[in-house]
Amino acid sequence: MAVDRPESTGNGRRESRPPDGNAAPALVLRLSQVDGSMLPLVGGKAANLGGLMAAGLPVPDGFCLTTVAYREAVRTVQDGVLAELARLQAALHPSDPGRSAQLATVAGNVREAIRALPVPPRTAAAVEQAYAAMGGMTPVAVRSSATAEDLPSASFAGQQDTYLNVAGIKAVLDAVRNCWASIWTDRAVAYRAALGIAPDQVALAVVVQRMVDAEAAGVMFTANPLTGRRREAVIDAAPGLGEAVVSGAVNPDHFVVDTGKARVVERKLGDKRVVVRPLPGGGTESREVPGRADSSSLTDEQAVGLAALGLQAERHFGSPQDTEWAIDAGGALWLTQSRPITTLYPIPQSRSAGAGPRLYMCFSLAQGLTRPLTPMGLASLRLIASSVALAAGFPVPDPRQGPPPYAEAAQRIYVDLTTPVRSSVGRRILPRVFDIMEARSAMVVRQVFDDPEFSVTRRTPFGFLRHVLPAAARARVPETALRGLFRPRAALRRLDSFTRRYAEDLELGAGAGPLERLDHAERLLGSRLFAIVPAVLPLPAVGFAMLWLAGRLLGGPDRRQDLEKVLRGLPRNVTTEMDLELWRLASAAKDDRDSRAALESQEPSALAAEFKTGTLPPVLHAGLVRFLERYGQRAVAEIDVGMPRWSDDPTHILGVLANYLRLTDPAMAPDVQFSRAEAEAEAAVQQLVAGARRRGRARALLVGAAFRRARMFAGLREMPKYQLVLGLAEVRKQVALVGAGLAADGRLDSPEDIFFLDFGEARLALQGPEAQGSRNLRELVVDRRAAYASELGRRHIPRALLSDGTEPEVLYAAARGAAGSATLSGSPASAGSVTARARVILDPVGAHLEPGEILVAPSTDPGWTPLFLTAGGLVMEMGGPNSHGAVVAREYGIPAVVGVPEATVRLATGQRITVDGGAGTIVPE
């Protein structure tokens, strides 16, 4: 027996049907009769083999025993232990520690019941007839072809069986029955259960295919699965049958072929110490042989020929393929399997002009957002991006589609940065921006600069200045910056006045209709929200510029840690103020017996339900109302209008309050820590000014003035996003009201469904079914919800992609860093050292963090920061020294390192680690 590789489905382009037309589905079909439309009947493997044949590619002949035969054979099992498995799977929660064992026990019963069944006479006769037509005792491969193993986001590697070199009808029928049973292996059942696939949703067809007596065989990817490059075929090869390569039993020869230039660009020979050969009369044997690292399984011509076949398969199916192949004794090339490569990240597509390679950077990651965005969230950000481009004087043909550099992939936002990367001005600005936002992205951008395909083509700054200077003048950026520099208190008063008017402008009058609500939402997104950024951002820019100036005036070899102390306990940071307000609510709840008992004894979701019904303890209820009146517009992943706000669902906040009650050391109380940080900052300022005074009174006056402005304005760096989120919350409110009306009218199934439409589709829904034409919005919502749920499980999101699918961070060896070292490295974000247990948290909602534990997260936005109050340290996969998480960590005085590759994978909850926020290292014990 040999373990099969992942099942998948193709998109066969023929319209062929079984010979019996509209009659009952056949038990047996020749592979040449099969196409991609027959997936429920023939399963993924057979559908793809039929597709290869339709494309004229060399595929060994054979037939498919359809799922009709499987369902007939297992009908009695379906009514017995299979039904028991379905009940068990539905009853057990995925986190149940005994779930896997219980599922495995019942799955074993299913397998044994199927193996004990005789192959029904009608099926046996059909198989015997089809096998005889192949030549009697012809050796064949009997391979499972399942219907549920074709999910684009799921790999079902090794979960059904293949039997090689099967000879004789009795052996073929035994292999068929064993294939049927293999769909109920423990691993297959557990995997489908994790994906929510019910037992009655899967069936198995069986492919019986002429064996290729292979001189060499193996696996080929038509795109490079490591780098993502779409025009590189990657081939692993070994002598004999391909099972040695598929099962990992051999160290194969490895080839990389440039399919555009039809040449081998990389060759690495393996030792090939194991070879699998067919035995006379049936079956296979695996033999160890002397190492042959000096001989190649393939010639370069054969490798290029295989790559050409793979490229034909890719073009036929419309996506890169993971294939298996064999070369017979006569040198003929055969494809024996093909499926889409499920691990490749989709390539963003922008409307930016210009030929040649493009560079896309992930804006979602730069914002600390790893999860996908809802369709309405993406639609909203497209409008905001268009407003930015229009303000800068760039043409935007359709604001709803976003500006030309805007792109999307896997429901995340990417930006085409090719033009600035190829300009001298862009090369000076981009890395410095990313140094602040996301340090690893800055490293990738700098490496792209060395790629000759991205050489500088624009050396003058005039194009940049032509767009930036008029936009800055219209937004009065120079005036705001000068006011902050020379009249700082007047600048703050003007800012307060502006934000009040901004908040008033967000509101929509009472009695508005649904179209007016959509108009208002689009107006806010398209012309109002971004105006807050140039109104606020110059002031924190002045603050950080003054910090830099003070450092220059002070001199010395390294002032970074001294200057970092000045930024602790900053005033006017809305996120810090929010977290401290939440701590005050926790303190009030802790002092109230009923509130404390509720938080300690009940789940946050149950408390949230009580809050909505007004049955929480009075102290807790009143405090939560006050907190949500001020901060209820915030959320985790709050730049997505499709995400519920805390005022919609306070479950997360109630969970954080419960966590705060576990903090018993008064010295570790967040308000105490913040006051201590303020005092340390003021002391650092006095000490640094005193040091400057020794070099002259004028220098000391300048340093003191610079530090005062730095502390006065640097905390405002959180203000632009806070104000944007206020506007996005108003957009969400208006769109949600439209969704509620559509659900009440029966045009949508749920009010939240509107967030899986865009603005144009929402308007169609308001006009009724007659306006929708062939577009069924209900079906569209179902499909988008499924795609969104699938994307939620994606762990790897490239921060950069080239237009051929290459991930620069993977391609450039320097970007991979010391991946083999035990010490993890990133960007220093908040000085200090701490040794404690790590707590890996991927989603802050419902997260449990013990006081003093080191929070290890993929990224953070303001929705995460309540966890910082009890954290002993912070490690983030994303972010730069001045990203949101880094700034808040410094203000709380907790050591932090950001931009740490694969931190959530390489560190484990409970593991003791030492975080050195000054050196930027994490050392596991």
Side-chain angles (χ1 to χ4, degrees), residues 26-28 63 65 69 120-132 169 173:
L27 284 173
V28 170
F63 64 90
L65 182 63
R122 189 168 82 99
T123 298
V127 172
E128 184 172 6
Q129 181 181 357
Y131 181 61
I169 185 60
L173 291 174

Side-chain angles (χ1 to χ4, degrees), residues 442-471:
M443 178 175 61
V444 172
V445 167
R446 287 186 172 98
Q447 288 164 340
V448 171
F449 292 167
D450 297 329
D451 189 332
E453 292 192 312
F454 289 94
S455 59
V456 173
T457 58
R458 184 175 298 176
R459 301 184 182 280
T460 65
F462 299 123
F464 172 77
L465 296 175
R466 180 165 57 88
H467 290 287
V468 171
L469 292 182

